[in-house]
Amino acid sequence: MLPRTHDALAMGLEDLPLAAVDVRDGEPTAGIVTLHEDFGVEIGVWELTEGTVTDTEVDEVFVVIAGAGWVTFADGERIALRPGVVVRLRAGEHTTWTITETLRKVWVGP
């Protein structure tokens, strides 16, 4: 049984390999851990170090808990990322993540 509380800032994450074709700048690394999975919903913590990567999104809502940067959508919308920012991603969206300070977020998705 998982504990009721987690220190999302201090917890260790599992390595999440980035495809070389997705890395656009720097040598970023990613990590992830799933905290809860039930009734088709997952909750977890994700981290990306400094650099720029592209991604194709899944349905997700996340809250930035540490770090800084921005996410740019294919339609040109750009969202500044900093602690406290809440973002809604939709499945199939193409994004570019530019991280200037290691970013950590708590996410909820299917």
Side-chain angles (χ1 to χ4, degrees):
M1 179 180 246
L2 290 171
R4 291 184 188 270
T5 64
H6 302 276
D7 185 341
L9 290 171
M11 67 189 332
L13 306 178
E14 299 172 19
D15 183 45
L16 179 63
L18 298 170
V21 69
D22 293 335
V23 176
R24 300 300 165 102
D25 187 45
E27 296 181 12
T29 60
I32 194 167
V33 64
T34 300
L35 302 175
H36 179 78
E37 196 172 353
D38 202 5
F39 300 108
V41 175
E42 292 183 349
I43 302 168
V45 177
W46 177 87
E47 180 176 273
L48 184 64
T49 63
E50 293 84 359
T52 302
V53 300
T54 59
D55 197 13
T56 302
E57 301 302 335
V58 297
D59 284 324
E60 173 185 318
V61 173
F62 69 84
V63 179
V64 176
I65 60 172
W70 58 88
V71 60
T72 305
F73 296 82
D75 66 3
E77 181 180 5
R78 180 175 163 175
I79 297 172
L81 301 172
R82 59 176 168 61
V85 169
V86 179
V87 178
R88 167 75 163 99
L89 300 174
R90 291 174 182 83
E93 289 182 311
H94 296 282
T95 55
T96 301
W97 296 74
T98 303
I99 305 305
T100 57
E101 179 184 330
T102 298
L103 187 92
R104 191 169 273 217
K105 66 180 185 176
V106 174
W107 53 269
V108 178

